[in-house]
Amino acid sequence: MALDLSADLVTLTRALCDVPSVSGAERQIADLVHGALSGLGYLEVLRDGDAVVARTHLARGRRVVLAGHLDTVPVAANLPSELRDSADGPVVWGRGTVDMKGGVAVLLALAAAVPEPSADLTYVFYDAEEVEADRNGLGRLVARHPDWVAGDMAVLGEPTAGALEGGCNGTLRVEVVVPGRAAHSARSWLGVNAVHGAAEVLHRLVEYRPREVDVDGLVYREGLNAVGIRGGVAGNVIPDECVVTVNYRFAPSRSEHEAFEHVSALFDGYEVRLTDSAPGARPGLDRPEAAGLAAVVAGLTGRPPRAKQGWTDVARFAGLGVPAVNFGPGDPSLAHADDEHTPVADLTVCFEALRAWLTA
Amino acid sequence: MALDLSADLVTLTRALCDVPSVSGAERQIADLVHGALSGLGYLEVLRDGDAVVARTHLARGRRVVLAGHLDTVPVAANLPSELRDSADGPVVWGRGTVDMKGGVAVLLALAAAVPEPSADLTYVFYDAEEVEADRNGLGRLVARHPDWVAGDMAVLGEPTAGALEGGCNGTLRVEVVVPGRAAHSARSWLGVNAVHGAAEVLHRLVEYRPREVDVDGLVYREGLNAVGIRGGVAGNVIPDECVVTVNYRFAPSRSEHEAFEHVSALFDGYEVRLTDSAPGARPGLDRPEAAGLAAVVAGLTGRPPRAKQGWTDVARFAGLGVPAVNFGPGDPSLAHADDEHTPVADLTVCFEALRAWLTA
């Protein structure tokens, strides 16, 4: 079996979906993608594990990275794929059609259809996006081969229903620790109740007004939320500690360090432990190449670009100083759903927009 | 081996301690107690599992119940017992000397020393006090043989350092449930944060002023405390539920039902689930027999009776309508300690006070 990159988008999407590639089992699909790209003589093809990178060397003076992951969440009796009718027109149905074999199909079709792009291109197809961050194939490439994924701008083909979504918020988690002193609850006046003490921490969260921040012309909406609380050791003991886990989603204009300082200041008087952190990504829509893509998409769909609120792999480019946008077929709310399906029109719009932009 | 109930209190206490009887392994000590009491011709001896009951039938018109548990918490290299010197005089050292072989020794010595008490007496020695409530031997007797433990007043020989501690507070636990609506924390505005909602519940706890209540002349101090809080399912999800576990310790003038109504009203607007409940026990110090014991103890020690704040097995008598007090040798703060030890003077004071009272 081989992939035919010159097939129509529906055929190519379905062919990719019909090779199951749940995270950790991407070998077969990586081999197929590797083989298909190797058949295009104008691309240098590189390989690291189950990640495949292919790039032009046309001395264009600027380079665009086009990336997508090859893995999916587990199949839920939704393969093989089907072409179905719907009220909104034909859709490709099945696991991966949204997240994100549809986007991968668009990128692979571009590789075959655009041998002489106006910018040098690097296609990146990687493994293990749907699992723990430390297994992420793009993260591995960034760490091992930063030159393979370097460029002036990146487009990640994650589902956005054909809209251009720029950058992403950063995210960090802290534990806010409220101390107490244990005592038997029959003599509670001998103790200090840490859970009661947490009332002040929750009060500050309730009173907090998250910002909306304009970054490169897109508005990012921040959020500060308790995502967990725990305290208490037994039904007859005054709790000697209460821990509130807080998740801060911060606009990409703020660094991880600045974000942690902000949260630490908010919880002044308490121990604040950083448990994990990931930077946001600026959309870079103030740069000409991104503005050009935004104009093409707006021309095709009538829709302006918008900020990506959730953290995505675009942020992995941020560490390399590469602004990045999300742009791909399929409604993201259907990602991971049993009824996952992507309109054929989305596949077409994404392909046409990117082809127009890359050949302009 | 047999127990000699006519031995001095130190010898009897040490003999009882040197028969290990960790909860669930009380057979040997129950057999020894059973055998010793059976040798006293004026007592009817009854047996249920590892609980032993012995009682007089002197037609005195009133009956006093004297009770103690035979089990201990696990031994911690603190057996066999020792007679040691201390700055405060000689002490019996070792597991169980405080909780509560010392008290059991006092009661067994009384059984041998007071063949013709002024009230009919029922001695109750039971198993499994130190473990889950549903294994409690006194609870089993109350359920199976309420007539074995009936009387006009009960004295539980739990450690009180020779002070008379009357009745006990009741206790109940509720779960106060704060609902929310889950959402991805990157789009927190689509959800309702249940942990943030719990701020109001904690605020009510912080603002609550517990009562001090005079019951039969003793002052009971109430307490209302969160003993646990939990909420949150993952680091990127707005919590859809937060549960605060609240323990209410209530004066014995309030019934379990009244206590639950009180807590439900306090958390009006929230679901309040009752998880467990145990009644308090009135001290009954307004009754002549209890007042008599209080007067004897005050005469010997100079100390007035005080309220027992913590829940104890005296409350099991409450359900039978029997007022009850705690009175026994040993500092309760040393119960379960590796360095558990009881002053010999405590053993003597308790024995003398009870003998004087029971023969008056």
Side-chain angles (χ1 to χ4, degrees):
Chain A
M1 177 185 167
L3 283 178
D4 177 6
L5 302 188
S6 65
D8 67 276
L9 285 165
V10 170
T11 302
L12 184 52
T13 298
R14 292 188 57 188
L16 289 164
C17 291
D18 291 344
V19 180
S21 54
V22 176
S23 311
E26 300 94 335
R27 178 59 45 89
Q28 185 185 358
I29 199 163
D31 287 347
L32 285 169
V33 168
H34 190 167
L37 292 170
S38 297
L40 302 173
Y42 47 90
L43 292 175
E44 175 196 21
V45 182
L46 304 162
R47 178 84 178 244
D48 182 293
D50 291 335
V52 181
V53 174
R55 57 188 177 184
T56 63
H57 291 287
L58 300 168
R60 296 292 197 230
R62 63 193 183 95
R63 178 173 292 277
V64 169
V65 181
L66 300 158
H69 64 85
L70 298 171
D71 61 319
T72 70
V73 296
V75 179
N78 50 8
L79 283 184
S81 65
E82 297 175 18
L83 181 62
R84 293 184 174 180
D85 280 323
S86 84
D88 300 320
V91 300
V92 191
W93 176 94
R95 172 62 73 235
T97 51
V98 172
D99 192 9
M100 58 170 283
K101 299 285 180 66
V104 169
V106 167
L107 301 185
L108 286 170
L110 284 168
V114 185
E116 294 196 348
S118 53
D120 269 307
L121 299 183
T122 302
Y123 297 94
V124 178
F125 301 99
Y126 60 99
D127 52 304
E129 191 269 350
E130 299 288 4
V131 287
E132 314 87 86
D134 60 1
R135 291 172 59 188
N136 185 290
L138 184 58
R140 188 177 71 245
L141 292 177
V142 168
R144 287 190 188 171
H145 311 287
D147 56 307
W148 291 12
V149 291
D152 299 287
M153 180 186 170
V155 178
L156 200 66
E158 288 273 5
T160 62
L164 190 66
E165 296 191 339
C168 73
N169 274 324
T171 178
L172 66 74
R173 266 170 285 269
V174 295
E175 292 185 338
V176 183
V177 183
V178 182
R181 188 172 65 242
H184 197 291
S185 66
R187 290 179 192 78
S188 52
W189 50 89
L190 300 178
V192 176
N193 195 316
V195 173
H196 295 196
E200 171 60 21
V201 172
L202 298 188
H203 178 71
R204 293 187 197 178
L205 284 165
V206 168
E207 292 297 308
Y208 186 83
R209 292 289 165 266
R211 303 185 308 164
E212 297 191 353
V213 185
D214 187 305
V215 182
D216 301 349
L218 298 185
V219 175
Y220 292 84
R221 191 164 173 180
E222 297 194 333
L224 184 77
N225 274 276
V227 290
I229 189 168
R230 63 178 191 275
V233 292
N236 59 357
V237 176
I238 301 302
D240 62 352
E241 184 175 271
C242 185
V243 177
V244 185
T245 302
V246 174
N247 182 208
Y248 178 37
R249 302 280 175 158
F250 53 95
S253 52
R254 193 164 255 178
S255 71
E256 292 171 272
H257 177 73
E258 289 166 342
F260 179 62
E261 291 291 305
H262 177 69
V263 173
S264 296
L266 183 69
F267 296 111
D268 184 41
Y270 298 94
E271 182 188 354
V272 179
R273 302 175 187 147
L274 183 68
T275 57
D276 68 284
S277 171
R282 298 184 74 100
L285 286 181
D286 51 349
R287 302 196 189 188
E289 54 269 30
L293 178 56
V296 170
V297 173
L300 276 171
T301 66
R303 279 186 291 182
R306 61 191 182 205
K308 185 76 169 179
Q309 306 297 347
W311 194 92
T312 77
D313 268 349
V314 295
R316 298 188 187 276
F317 291 104
L320 300 170
V322 182
V325 298
N326 302 274
F327 181 62
D331 177 349
S333 70
L334 290 175
H336 304 190
D338 293 353
D339 189 36
E340 194 173 339
H341 60 270
T342 290
V344 173
D346 272 21
L347 296 168
T348 307
V349 162
C350 289
F351 176 81
E352 293 300 342
L354 288 170
R355 181 165 67 174
W357 176 55
L358 294 172
T359 55
Chain B
M1 176 184 168
L3 283 178
D4 177 5
L5 302 188
S6 65
D8 67 275
L9 285 165
V10 170
T11 301
L12 183 53
T13 298
R14 293 188 57 189
L16 289 163
C17 290
D18 291 344
V19 180
S21 53
V22 175
S23 310
E26 299 95 333
R27 178 58 46 88
Q28 185 185 359
I29 199 163
D31 287 346
L32 284 169
V33 167
H34 191 168
L37 292 170
S38 296
L40 302 172
Y42 48 89
L43 293 175
E44 175 196 21
V45 182
L46 304 162
R47 179 81 179 247
D48 181 293
D50 292 333
V52 181
V53 173
R55 57 187 177 184
T56 62
H57 292 287
L58 300 167
R60 295 293 196 231
R62 63 194 184 93
R63 177 172 294 278
V64 170
V65 180
L66 300 159
H69 63 84
L70 297 172
D71 61 319
T72 70
V73 296
V75 179
N78 51 6
L79 284 184
S81 64
E82 297 175 18
L83 181 63
R84 292 184 174 179
D85 280 324
S86 83
D88 300 320
V91 301
V92 190
W93 175 94
R95 173 62 73 234
T97 51
V98 171
D99 192 8
M100 58 171 285
K101 299 286 180 67
V104 169
V106 166
L107 301 186
L108 286 170
L110 284 168
V114 185
E116 294 198 346
S118 53
D120 269 307
L121 299 183
T122 302
Y123 296 94
V124 178
F125 301 100
Y126 60 98
D127 52 304
E129 190 270 349
E130 298 288 5
V131 288
E132 315 88 87
D134 60 3
R135 292 172 58 189
N136 185 290
L138 184 58
R140 189 178 69 245
L141 292 177
V142 168
R144 288 190 189 170
H145 311 288
D147 55 308
W148 292 11
V149 291
D152 299 287
M153 179 185 170
V155 177
L156 199 65
E158 288 273 6
T160 62
L164 190 69
E165 295 191 341
C168 73
N169 274 325
T171 179
L172 66 75
R173 265 169 286 268
V174 295
E175 292 185 338
V176 183
V177 183
V178 182
R181 188 172 66 242
H184 196 291
S185 65
R187 290 179 194 78
S188 52
W189 50 90
L190 300 178
V192 175
N193 194 315
V195 173
H196 294 196
E200 171 61 20
V201 171
L202 299 188
H203 177 72
R204 294 187 196 178
L205 284 166
V206 169
E207 292 296 308
Y208 186 83
R209 293 288 165 265
R211 303 186 307 165
E212 297 191 353
V213 185
D214 187 307
V215 182
D216 300 350
L218 299 184
V219 175
Y220 291 85
R221 191 163 173 181
E222 297 193 333
L224 184 78
N225 273 276
V227 290
I229 189 168
R230 63 179 191 275
V233 293
N236 59 357
V237 176
I238 301 302
D240 63 351
E241 184 175 89
C242 185
V243 178
V244 185
T245 303
V246 174
N247 182 209
Y248 179 36
R249 301 281 175 156
F250 53 95
S253 53
R254 192 163 256 179
S255 72
E256 292 168 272
H257 178 72
E258 288 166 344
F260 179 63
E261 291 291 306
H262 177 69
V263 173
S264 295
L266 183 69
F267 296 111
D268 184 41
Y270 298 94
E271 181 188 353
V272 178
R273 302 175 188 147
L274 182 68
T275 58
D276 68 283
S277 171
R282 298 184 75 100
L285 286 181
D286 51 348
R287 300 196 189 187
E289 54 270 30
L293 177 57
V296 170
V297 172
L300 275 170
T301 66
R303 281 186 289 184
R306 61 191 183 207
K308 185 75 170 179
Q309 306 297 346
W311 195 91
T312 77
D313 268 349
V314 296
R316 297 188 188 277
F317 291 103
L320 300 170
V322 182
V325 297
N326 302 273
F327 181 62
D331 177 350
S333 70
L334 291 175
H336 305 189
D338 293 353
D339 188 36
E340 194 172 340
H341 60 271
T342 291
V344 172
D346 272 22
L347 297 169
T348 307
V349 161
C350 289
F351 176 81
E352 293 300 342
L354 289 169
R355 181 165 67 174
W357 176 55
L358 295 171
T359 57

